[in-house]
Amino acid sequence: MKLISAIIKPFKLDDVREALSEIGVNGITITEVKGFGRQKGHTEMYRGAEYVVDFLPKIKIEIACRDEMVDSIIESIIKVANTGKIGDGKIFVSPLERVIRIRTGEFDESAL
């Protein structure tokens, strides 16, 4: 089992959700996050004063899945979230040791 974490631009969320749904992903967790990478921040003007926005708004998508789903999930996210511009985001894949469904007590792949 793996935990896939993807950081994407906020306006791409609906497209990514739809693409994941089409390949059979039936559960995701979404978090509004802020951060920066190579994109860095940017300078904005407010009432004539210039200020730097260091952390940019992003969306973090987390998906717990079976090992055989990892490649298709990654391909779907890349295909839909890619704008070709800096700041498109990143995907992280981590091993997932245990999953427990609280309601039923099912665990590991049965809980996915």
Side-chain angles (χ1 to χ4, degrees), residues 2-58:
K2 301 286 190 232
L3 179 64
I4 299 173
S5 299
I7 310 295
I8 63 168
K9 291 182 175 184
F11 68 89
K12 287 293 190 174
L13 175 59
D14 287 337
D15 296 337
V16 170
R17 184 187 51 78
E18 287 175 22
L20 292 172
S21 217
E22 286 175 11
I23 61 166
V25 174
N26 54 14
I28 62 176
T29 300
I30 306 296
T31 311
E32 292 181 9
V33 296
K34 291 184 180 189
F36 71 90
R38 289 187 183 160
Q39 188 179 13
K40 305 275 190 261
H42 60 276
T43 304
E44 291 189 6
M45 295 287 286
Y46 180 72
R47 294 189 176 186
E50 200 173 88
Y51 67 98
V52 177
V53 177
D54 290 328
F55 297 102
L56 302 169
K58 301 285 181 178

Side-chain angles (χ1 to χ4, degrees), residues 61-96:
I61 301 171
E62 293 176 303
I63 306 157
C65 66
R66 293 177 172 83
D67 290 339
E68 59 269 12
M69 288 288 295
V70 172
D71 291 336
S72 59
I73 290 171
I74 290 171
E75 288 170 16
S76 292
I77 294 171
I78 290 171
K79 181 180 175 185
V80 177
N82 182 9
T83 67
K85 297 181 180 167
I86 195 165
D88 277 348
K90 289 212 170 45
I91 300 171
F92 305 94
V93 180
S94 308
L96 193 56

